[in-house]
Structures are given as structure tokens and as C-alpha cells.
Amino acid sequence: IKELKYLDTTPINRKEPLTMDILRKVHDEWAAQPTYLHILAAMFLGHDALLRSSELLALRTTDILWMNPHRMRIAIARSKTHREGAAQLVYVSDRPGPSSFKLVRQIQEENPQHKGLLLGGGKARNWLANGIKKAVQLVGLNPAVYSTHSLRAGGATDLLCAGIPREIIQKAGRWNSDEVLKYLRDECFIADTCAKAFAKL
């Protein structure tokens, strides 16, 4: 009945992606302020490694392995879709400019004796959510349309816009199905890509 009467038209509350261009702007504002190091690292790591907030906040210093000067390995013991067995391994390589690799290394170099949660002190999900909202507001964006989900969506969206095949994005984000498509949130890019394809016909 709701469908027939058009009473089911509540908009989907899907958050905007936190893409690399936004993260760079936030980094430019916060990089010189040590108090923001952990939230910056969390935001970049969630984006670069396509991590869920629960995975991100559960990471321990022992879950990070420095493989060489340009690559780290992250062991994710448990996640929403991985509830038993050996840890899932995610590899993150460094790149020019600000990156999760550099920020995580900075955290560990500043406190090499720290053992326990990587982001320190058992910070809760609202710490991450509030940090994201403060960050996007700082660079002139509406904090109401960003959340912890914006990190994973931002990484997937950036990879799509860079022309990376969907199978690679799916593998990088550890999606077991086409659920990855829900995280590709640049409708203008999709529309432009379709238009260019039609123009070739």
C-alpha cells in the first residue's frame, strides 16, 4: 500500500565519499598540529586500505608489519564478513605526498614502546565520526553528509575514477560480492563515463 500511495519515498541516508582531494585539504590544515595525528592517520588509513570503522579502531600496533621502506602489511583478525580463521592481510604501499603509510609510521616512531591499540586509548567510533565531521567542516563541507562510512566509500570511489577495474577494487576492499557497487559514489563520473561511451557509438 505504501508503494502504491508513494508513501515510501524517504531518501536513502547514504553518506558522501571522503575522497583524496578532501583528505589532502584536511592534511594541509592539520599536519602541523600533533594533536590531530591520530585522526589524520585513521582517516587516511580507512581510505587507503578500504577499512571499515570497526576494523580500523580495532587495529593494534602488533597488527602492523613494516615490510620494506615503502610498504606495510596490516593483519585484520576479525571483521564483519570474516569471523573465523587466520587474519586477513591487507598491503598498503607509500606514495608521494601525504599517505596512511607515512602517518602510521609517524605514530609508531613517536611512541616506539607503545603496545596496544594503534590509535591509542581504545577510542570509540564516535571519536572517529566526530573527527571526520570536524575535518570536513574545516575545509568548507557539510559535516552532516559525512560519516565513518565515507572513508571506505571514498577509497573505492577514487579507485573507480582512476580507472581501476572493479575486480581489483573488490579484492582490495575484501568484498565477497557486488556489494562493492554501493560504495562507488561519484554519480557525475559515472554519468560522464556513460556519455563518453555513447559518443563513441
Side-chain angles (χ1 to χ4, degrees):
I1 292 171
K2 284 185 177 180
E3 290 174 5
L4 292 172
K5 292 184 175 180
Y6 293 98
L7 300 175
D8 60 338
T9 57
T10 303
I12 296 173
N13 186 21
R14 186 170 291 165
K15 300 303 183 183
E16 290 294 311
L18 254 173
T19 51
M20 185 55 61
D21 58 326
I22 299 171
L23 289 177
R24 285 195 189 108
K25 289 176 185 175
V26 172
H27 182 272
D28 289 346
E29 294 289 336
W30 276 353
Q33 302 183 51
T35 53
Y36 293 119
L37 175 60
H38 282 78
I39 191 66
L40 271 176
M43 290 170 65
F44 272 82
L45 190 56
H47 173 278
D48 294 357
L50 302 171
L51 297 180
R52 299 175 180 91
S53 58
S54 57
E55 297 166 348
L56 187 59
L57 295 171
L59 286 177
R60 305 182 73 81
T61 54
T62 52
D63 294 330
I64 306 296
L65 175 67
W66 301 102
M67 301 183 66
N68 61 44
H70 307 288
R71 185 174 297 122
M72 64 180 173
R73 190 190 76 189
I74 304 167
I76 301 173
R78 293 290 176 266
S79 71
K80 179 181 175 182
T81 58
H82 179 75
R83 298 185 179 274
E84 60 184 11
Q88 290 182 306
L89 303 178
V90 175
Y91 296 84
V92 177
S93 296
D94 196 14
R95 60 170 180 269
S99 69
S100 57
F101 179 93
K102 293 182 184 77
L103 291 164
V104 171
R105 174 153 276 185
Q106 185 178 344
I107 286 174
Q108 292 205 330
E109 286 176 350
E110 288 184 0
N111 192 1
Q113 304 305 318
H114 174 70
K115 303 295 180 190
L117 292 174
L118 175 67
L119 298 172
K123 294 182 171 71
R125 189 171 177 221
N126 61 357
W127 166 81
L128 180 58
N130 292 338
I132 289 169
K133 291 182 183 302
K134 184 173 182 179
V136 296
Q137 190 169 27
L138 182 71
V139 295
L141 298 173
N142 178 8
V145 297
Y146 292 91
S147 75
T148 55
H149 294 288
S150 298
L151 301 175
R152 189 163 157 87
T157 298
D158 278 336
L159 292 174
L160 168 74
C161 294
I164 303 302
R166 194 185 75 195
E167 308 82 61
I168 300 296
I169 302 173
Q170 192 169 330
K171 178 74 173 173
R174 296 157 289 111
W175 281 285
N176 297 323
S177 68
D178 288 341
E179 190 77 4
V180 61
L181 294 175
K182 289 184 179 179
Y183 288 83
L184 307 179
R185 299 180 188 170
D186 190 332
E187 304 306 329
C188 293
F189 169 79
I190 293 170
D192 290 346
T193 302
C194 291
K196 288 175 185 175
F198 291 143
K200 293 179 181 178
L201 298 178

